[in-house]
Amino acid sequence: VKGHRPQLSAKIRLLETAAATIAFCKKLREAGCDCISVHCRRRTDKHDGPPDWKAGAQLVDALGGFPIILNGGICNVDDAEGIIERTKCHAVMVAQGYLQNHRMFVDKKYMCVDTLRNSPAHLAAEYLDYAERHPPPCYLYTQKHLRWIFRQVLQPEDDRKVDYTDWRPRLWGFLVRAYLRTVEQFRLVVA
């Protein structure tokens, strides 16, 4: 549309200090960003360790009413609501938790971990139904999504001490290699 400026957003991780992150976000705002998503871990943390919600709250406070979306370690509705309440951020962004269980924001009464509907096998079958109706661009999307769904039950804690007489690490090894390429092949493994 002529004369309409597209929306601009940025996603960053925390810098070494909260003050450095605040200064950088102010520069992004001045450069024309409409909102900023902040992963509340530092680059050296990768995905390990607890997110620094205190730094996230300081950022939200320092930027006034500017839209800040916080990310990191959010695995369910309670986490999301708690972070919004605690930090006063405008929204949260989820990644790993949602990849592990795409029902994470369903009504809380259905979120009991030990129910069949939330078992990795059921979640994977449901995901494959969706992938069949809406095929991803490449089989790697399906492979990676299934790895997230099954990670907690199949991935060995220490790759150097794996008991290959157990079926779980063998199935994990099968899922992390590019042996499977179609939804039908993935279904045979998940079934």
Side-chain angles (χ1 to χ4, degrees), residues 26-146:
K26 286 180 177 179
K27 288 179 183 180
L28 288 171
R29 179 181 63 186
E30 291 165 13
C33 272
D34 297 296
C35 69
I36 302 170
S37 297
V38 181
H39 187 129
C40 286
R41 291 187 181 105
R42 285 158 186 85
R43 188 171 51 96
T44 54
D45 297 333
K46 304 228 180 213
H47 300 287
D48 299 326
D52 186 349
W53 299 121
K54 182 179 176 187
Q58 290 172 336
L59 176 65
V60 171
D61 186 54
L63 271 75
F66 186 78
I68 299 292
I69 302 161
L70 298 181
N71 171 241
I74 299 166
C75 294
N76 56 50
V77 174
D78 291 334
D79 289 349
E81 291 172 347
I83 296 309
I84 291 171
E85 183 178 320
R86 182 172 156 194
T87 66
K88 308 299 183 232
C89 66
H90 295 79
V92 294
M93 179 177 161
V94 297
Q96 293 177 359
Y98 196 72
L99 288 172
Q100 289 173 351
N101 183 346
H102 52 266
R103 281 204 209 97
M104 69 182 288
F105 289 115
V106 173
D107 187 349
K108 292 177 191 177
K109 67 181 176 183
Y110 296 113
M111 291 311 297
C112 181
V113 174
D114 61 356
T115 64
L116 177 61
R117 276 177 48 94
N118 289 310
S119 72
H122 190 83
L123 292 168
E126 195 172 79
Y127 169 74
L128 290 172
D129 288 343
Y130 182 80
E132 199 166 55
R133 287 191 309 276
H134 308 281
C138 170
Y139 74 91
L140 291 172
Y141 288 78
T142 305
Q143 178 193 40
K144 289 181 179 187
H145 200 111
L146 289 176

